[in-house]
Amino acid sequence: MEVIRKLENQPAILPTIEYLKKPEIQVAIVKAVEEQYRPAQLELEAVGEKPDIAAVVAKTSDLVTQQTIAIPRILAVPRGEVKAGFKLVHACACLSEISGGVGRTMDSTSAHQPA
């Protein structure tokens, strides 16, 4: 699940949830999971069975695909010249104006000059 969550934030690799079913994405996920896999305790080669990581990844990808609602990515790009926005105001000037022109770090004349 960690690997799939990391891919969620990479639209170049995984633009939609349906891409989890693609074989090249499955191979990449299996490789990443195998790199991260650490057994709970040391195992002997002949005694312990290694989990089938490819089967686990396939089943997990299938479940994630079925149980996820795809939300489209929306990009709002303005047309023409942008006429609205924010003006940066120095905090000391605002505090000085609120307190009647008497600021601790600014004298009363500089607080009322237009920016």
Side-chain angles (χ1 to χ4, degrees), residues 34-54:
E34 285 175 346
E35 289 173 0
Q36 294 179 359
Y37 175 71
R38 301 283 180 259
Q41 63 185 30
L42 294 176
E43 299 175 355
L44 297 173
E45 289 285 328
V47 176
E49 247 182 67
K50 287 185 95 175
D52 185 4
I53 293 177

Side-chain angles (χ1 to χ4, degrees), residues 60-90:
T60 303
S61 297
D62 189 42
L63 286 172
V64 168
T65 305
Q66 289 175 7
Q67 297 179 358
T68 301
I69 298 172
I71 299 173
R73 288 182 171 83
I74 299 172
L75 180 62
V77 180
R79 291 189 220 167
E81 182 182 350
V82 177
K83 297 180 182 180
F86 296 98
K87 182 178 177 183
L88 184 61
V89 179
H90 195 273

Side-chain angles (χ1 to χ4, degrees), residues 90-93 95-96 102-108 110-111:
H90 195 273
C92 292
L95 291 173
S96 181
V102 181
R104 291 185 182 183
T105 59
M106 301 177 67
D107 64 342
S108 61
S110 65

